[in-house]
């Protein structure tokens, strides 16, 4: 972001928004927008509570398990879809549909089939995250330099070496981009899954705060969830930048 | 002095998926320890023929025999130098040169020692830790050559190895190649677009006709290179005759 020809750090633009928020809150324009400062205070009061840490633990667990499955399925299956033409054709259409489909609409069906519990949330996370990983991995492997593959074969690469020493590394920039996007979707998955179930983790807290009209706490939780998603995706972006030096020189 | 045949190309036909007929009825014998060159108009199937010999693509019909064995894929006695270098962008020069040995499972210390020797041979001693994108085209090609030398293959296949470098570098590179190969008694099979380069470097030049590639002529310049400098060789009657002869034939194709 630039202002008057000067680059201003993203931090300062956030500060500006928070000030605007504070002013709107103090002006009491709307009951659902409390001043920013009281949201921060509410944040500090809810974080140390046992209820909060319990909710976070449950949410983190669902998120981690769902993401782990998404990575374990998404990357290998994406590689296979790129390498086995028939598989790519059969699954490609579905992946393309689901990558842009409103997955939230499926959660009530999951609840009906699997029940109201943690596994439903885990599957929601998985479904939110997996398709973008699949798609990006597939694209990355498909775009992998053919002459590098030929080179490796020529120098006697076995089939697994072709994957571990050439193809996966060729596709790493795309795979990481997919992972970064999937992390954000995964966080959405946890929140939406738990919100719809309404008796678990962060979703339960959201439900509680909005029912009792605790807007300060509600917004504090929103900010905490945002910060978590942002921090995770930045961590992946950091990894991405480390492989960028060769991605840009391909 | 007649040399023994190391690569035999037997009645190769190659039709690509989609019906492009690249090669038709190509039969050849390539002598051991010599430099043979494929020369011909663009698209006549030179790269295709080289890759078939490398075992990278199976021919539609016909067979390749190397050292008395039928080829059904790449093998350790053949190494390839790629026109587009084919260097791993995430690996430094040392790892790239040692890559063939890494694939064979040689321990890091051993393969790096071998790679270092060949990196020095191609004149890149101080660039071991550099990455491909930090090197010029000519230097990348040297890395590709060092990688092919590292696996100690008897036969080195090169696809237009000098096409991406300027004229001075090209000549210097040619000299070094001649030197290196005469010492090591490698068999070299390479593709070029340059008549002068073919005549200057080769013991045997295989002229291919336009697509589908067939063998149109085989020319053996018979240049005496022993103890003579490049300029003397370029004034040699046999060299000049070979250039003329090749041009006479190729001129009908353009
Ligand atoms: N993978 C492929 N699929 C289909 N056709 C191909 C393929 N590779 C090459 N061809 C075709 O086969 C013919 C011979 O190609 P090849 O690359 O062997 O020619 P070349 O003699 O090396 O040409 P150049 O001098 O331009 O490098 C060309 O017409 C090309 O279009
Ligand atoms: Mg070619």
């Amino acid at each position: 972001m630039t202002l008057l020809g000067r680059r201003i750090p993203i931090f300062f633009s956030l500060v500006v928004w928070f000030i605007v928020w504070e002013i709107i809150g103090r002006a009491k324009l709307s009951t659902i927008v409390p001043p920013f400062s009281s949201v921060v205070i509410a944040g500090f009061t809810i974080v140390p509570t046992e209820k909060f840490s319990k909710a976070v633990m449950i949410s983190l667990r669902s998120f981690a398990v769902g993401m782990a499955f998404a990575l374990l399925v998404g990357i290998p299956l994406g590689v296979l879809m790129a390498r086995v033409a028939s598989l790519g054709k059969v699954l490609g259409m579905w992946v393309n549909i689901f990558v842009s489909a409103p997955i939230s609409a499926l959660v009530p069906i999951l609840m009906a089939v699997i029940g109201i519990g943690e596994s439903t949330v885990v599957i929601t996370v998985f479904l939110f995250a997996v398709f973008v990983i699949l798609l990006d991995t597939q694209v990355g492997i498909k775009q992998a330099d053919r002459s590098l593959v030929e080179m490796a074969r020529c120098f006697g690469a076995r089939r697994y070496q072709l994957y571990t020493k050439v193809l996966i590394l060729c596709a790493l920039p795309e795979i990481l981009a997919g992972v970064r996007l999937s992390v954000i979707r995964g966080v959405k998955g946890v929140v939406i899954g738990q919100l719809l179930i309404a008796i678990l983790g962060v979703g339960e807290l959201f439900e509680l705060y909005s029912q009792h009209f605790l807007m300060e706490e509600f917004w504090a939780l929103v900010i905490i969830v945002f910060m978590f998603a942002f921090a995770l995706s930045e961590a992946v972006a950091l990894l991405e930048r480390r492989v960028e030096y060769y991605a840009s020189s391909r | 002095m007649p040399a023994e045949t190391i690569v035999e190309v037997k009645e190769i036909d190659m039709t690509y998926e989609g019906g492009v007929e690249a090669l038709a009825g190509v039969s050849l014998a390539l002598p051991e320890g010599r430099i043979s060159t494929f020369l011909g108009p663009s698209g006549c199937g030179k790269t295709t023929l080289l890759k078939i010999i490398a075992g990278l693509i199976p021919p539609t019909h016909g067979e390749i025999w190397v050292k008395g064995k039928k080829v059904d894929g790449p093998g350790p006695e053949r190494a390839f130098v790629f026109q587009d270098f084919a260097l791993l962008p995430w690996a430094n020069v040392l790892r790239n040169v040692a890559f063939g040995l890494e694939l064979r499972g040689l321990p890091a210390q051993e393969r790096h020692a071998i790679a270092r020797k060949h990196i020095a041979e191609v004149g890149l001693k101080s660039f071991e830790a550099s990455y491909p994108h930090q090197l010029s085209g000519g230097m990348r090609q040297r890395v590709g050559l060092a990688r092919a030398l590292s696996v100690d293959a008897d036969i080195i296949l090169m696809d237009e190895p000098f096409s991406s470098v300027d004229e001075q570098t090209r000549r210097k590179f040619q000299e070094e190649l001649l030197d290196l190969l005469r010492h090591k008694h490698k068999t070299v099979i390479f593709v070029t677009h340059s008549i002068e380069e073919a005549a200057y470097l080769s013991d045997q030049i295989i002229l291919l006709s336009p697509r589908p590639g067939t063998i149109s002529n085989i020319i053996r310049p018979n240049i005496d290179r022993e103890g003579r400098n490049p300029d003397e060789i370029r004034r040699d009657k046999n060299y000049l005759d070979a250039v003329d002869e090749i041009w006479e034939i190729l001129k009908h194709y353009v």
Side-chain angles (χ1 to χ4, degrees), chain B residues 46-47 83 159-160 191:
Chain B
K46 303 180 293 293
T47 300
Q83 180 173 7
D159 193 2
E160 302 193 36
V191 168

Side-chain angles (χ1 to χ4, degrees), chain A residues 90-137:
Chain A
V90 173
L91 295 180
M93 189 183 76
W94 293 108
V95 171
N96 274 305
I97 290 174
F98 276 107
V99 85
S100 50
I103 305 281
S104 349
L106 292 178
V107 180
I109 302 173
L110 286 175
M111 278 162 65
V113 177
I114 302 164
I116 299 175
E118 210 178 325
S119 38
T120 301
V121 180
V122 168
I123 294 173
T124 308
V125 173
F126 172 81
L127 289 176
F128 266 78
V130 77
F131 295 106
V132 70
I133 301 178
L134 267 172
L135 199 69
D136 279 19
T137 305

Side-chain angles (χ1 to χ4, degrees), chain A residues 47-176:
Chain A
V47 168
T49 62
E50 197 188 335
K51 204 168 178 58
F52 178 82
S53 47
K54 241 182 168 166
V56 166
M57 283 314 293
I58 293 174
S59 303
L60 273 183
R61 192 167 61 200
S62 304
F63 175 75
V65 175
M67 279 306 295
F69 277 117
L71 291 173
L72 285 176
V73 172
I75 295 174
L77 192 59
V79 172
L80 277 180
M81 280 172 63
R83 297 287 292 176
V84 184
S86 52
L87 197 67
K89 273 206 193 100
V90 173
L91 295 180
M93 189 183 76
W94 293 108
V95 171
N96 274 305
I97 290 174
F98 276 107
V99 85
S100 50
I103 305 281
S104 349
L106 292 178
V107 180
I109 302 173
L110 286 175
M111 278 162 65
V113 177
I114 302 164
I116 299 175
E118 210 178 325
S119 38
T120 301
V121 180
V122 168
I123 294 173
T124 308
V125 173
F126 172 81
L127 289 176
F128 266 78
V130 77
F131 295 106
V132 70
I133 301 178
L134 267 172
L135 199 69
D136 279 19
T137 305
Q138 189 191 10
V139 168
I141 297 282
K142 270 206 175 143
Q143 286 176 347
D145 195 340
R146 288 187 56 174
S147 88
L148 285 185
V149 173
E150 258 182 3
M151 182 278 289
R153 283 184 51 213
C154 198
F155 283 98
R158 289 155 201 274
R159 188 181 282 267
Y160 78 90
Q161 287 177 317
L162 213 56
Y163 287 92
T164 57
K165 290 191 188 278
V166 179
L167 283 170
I168 300 279
L169 290 165
C170 273
L172 201 56
E174 282 83 8
I175 294 176
L176 283 178

